[in-house]
Amino acid sequence: MCDLYSSIAIVTLLGSVRCEEADPVPVQAQARVTAGERHLFSGEDIQLACSVPEDPLSGWRYQWFLNGVLVSSSEVYDLKDTQVLQTGGYTCLGEKDIDGWPYVMKSLPSDVLNVHVDGGWVLLQTPTEPLVIEEVLNLTCRVRDDPLLMEVTFYKGDVKNWKQKDKDLVFPRVSLEDQGSYWCKATWVQGYVYHSGQSLPASVTVLDKLTSPVLELEPGRTVVAEGSSMVLKCSTQLHAREQGHGIEYYYMKNGTRLGPASSRDTHTIQSAVKDDTGVYTCKVRVRALNLERWSNELKVEVKPRDRPKRR
């Protein structure tokens, strides 16, 4: 009987130790194209590779998924002689053995890597990632088997904008106005016969370096009870290839600054009073890039608390 109680005590102790062990911190896998293009003709090849950049030296095992369905268990996924059915969103994740509980660690899935396999004769290749204003935009109107091109016309929406013989169209400094849906039409000679065809539309996304901030009162209200805390949140996004640029936040009430610049995207009034009623705005600034943006106006009303009724 003593041995039985001892065994139960040991199992209980091990269980409590296991519960106290810290869970492994998950890291995210990364999917990338190592050969070929993400927008390609059927019959062409593309190679995908998976890695875990934050932990590159460990013995990871990898899995690939197409639209959530397992398609491969390898670090490198070769798609040879592709078919239209292989169009879709590819993700990967890593898995490795670890010493402690739960003995197997899985990474977070990678971001979706979209691959489009075109079964037609003409396709338009556009950037696979959003561009930031002032970057270079390259559009390529490809014809299957690369025949001799006679004429290429590029369209934005339904408007014919550029007619040329070259398959490449370059915008040296892209702007927000260049964002939109593009397609192309090509005429070519093959076997002494003229052919013509057009691509499917392809989208181009252009981001501002610094988005206009949105000012809101957490948690999404505009009326505050007197004496309660009041938290203003100034939300913006910085899209810059260079790292390390800090954002300065300025908060104003009725046009008057509420203090010096802050590195925080929130401004808190601990105990609101009636005089805190007003129109609030915020400004964001990135000194290194000489950028600043203003937010919307937010009307906030501070009301007295309801007094309890006397019986």
Side-chain angles (χ1 to χ4, degrees):
M1 182 65 69
C2 293
D3 291 340
L4 175 60
Y5 286 132
S6 300
S7 299
I8 293 174
I10 292 172
V11 171
T12 304
L13 178 60
L14 288 174
S16 63
V17 170
R18 177 175 293 172
C19 292
E20 293 174 0
E21 288 178 355
D23 292 333
V25 178
V27 290
Q28 186 177 25
Q30 181 185 75
R32 66 190 189 280
V33 177
T34 50
E37 298 287 345
R38 286 169 59 172
H39 195 174
L40 70 163
F41 285 118
S42 57
E44 295 181 332
D45 303 335
I46 183 174
Q47 185 182 80
L48 311 179
C50 189
S51 62
V52 182
E54 295 181 48
D55 188 12
L57 300 179
S58 298
W60 292 96
R61 303 180 297 274
Y62 297 96
Q63 293 178 319
W64 281 96
F65 301 84
L66 171 58
N67 300 329
V69 178
L70 179 66
V71 290
S72 177
S73 297
S74 60
E75 179 179 354
V76 176
Y77 184 31
D78 283 305
L79 287 80
K80 299 286 189 182
D81 194 20
T82 55
Q83 301 177 17
V84 175
L85 291 175
Q86 291 174 297
T87 292
Y90 288 81
T91 56
C92 70
L93 59 80
E95 179 182 278
K96 69 174 181 176
D97 298 326
I98 56 176
D99 293 335
W101 177 262
Y103 305 114
V104 174
M105 175 182 175
K106 288 188 176 182
S107 73
L108 297 173
S110 68
D111 293 333
V112 177
L113 193 154
N114 289 304
V115 173
H116 179 78
V117 182
D118 197 306
W121 280 91
V122 182
L123 68 81
L124 180 65
Q125 288 180 335
T126 58
T128 56
E129 302 294 339
L131 296 174
V132 179
I133 58 171
E134 300 180 357
E135 292 184 334
V136 177
L137 167 60
N138 289 289
L139 302 178
T140 301
C141 187
R142 287 192 59 204
V143 177
R144 186 183 290 271
D145 300 328
D146 296 322
L148 176 63
L149 294 177
M150 303 304 295
E151 184 178 271
V152 177
T153 306
F154 291 87
Y155 296 79
K156 183 182 179 187
D158 296 327
V159 180
K160 181 193 296 185
N161 287 318
W162 307 270
K163 182 183 289 187
Q164 57 190 51
K165 284 193 173 183
D166 193 356
K167 65 180 180 179
D168 296 308
L169 179 64
V170 179
F171 296 71
R173 290 169 64 88
V174 74
S175 66
L176 293 176
E177 289 72 25
D178 294 319
Q179 176 170 282
S181 179
Y182 292 80
W183 58 283
C184 67
K185 182 184 294 183
T187 301
W188 67 95
V189 176
Q190 196 168 33
Y192 302 102
V193 178
Y194 280 80
H195 301 269
S196 182
Q198 67 184 51
S199 72
L200 294 172
S203 62
V204 172
T205 302
V206 181
L207 304 175
D208 199 353
K209 288 185 178 180
L210 184 65
T211 62
S212 296
V214 175
L215 182 65
E216 57 186 353
L217 187 64
E218 295 186 331
R221 53 184 179 166
T222 56
V223 178
V224 180
E226 194 172 17
S228 62
S229 65
M230 184 171 132
V231 181
L232 296 165
K233 185 172 179 63
C234 185
S235 302
T236 187
Q237 286 187 311
L238 176 62
H239 302 113
R241 304 300 181 191
E242 308 86 359
Q243 301 296 316
H245 295 306
I247 302 177
E248 299 174 356
Y249 296 86
Y250 300 83
Y251 297 89
M252 273 72 63
K253 189 191 92 171
N254 299 330
T256 301
R257 190 184 294 180
L258 296 177
S262 169
S263 61
R264 298 176 61 87
D265 64 356
T266 57
H267 176 79
T268 302
I269 297 174
Q270 296 294 345
S271 182
V273 296
K274 189 174 181 181
D275 286 345
D276 290 320
T277 295
V279 178
Y280 290 81
T281 54
C282 69
K283 180 179 77 170
V284 292
R285 182 179 183 184
V286 181
R287 289 180 182 271
L289 300 177
N290 195 28
L291 296 172
E292 69 176 39
R293 300 285 188 271
W294 285 86
S295 76
N296 55 298
E297 292 185 345
L298 179 67
K299 295 180 180 179
V300 177
E301 182 181 3
V302 179
K303 287 187 172 183
R305 288 185 179 274
D306 294 332
R307 294 182 179 179
K309 295 181 180 180
R310 294 182 178 179
R311 295 183 178 179

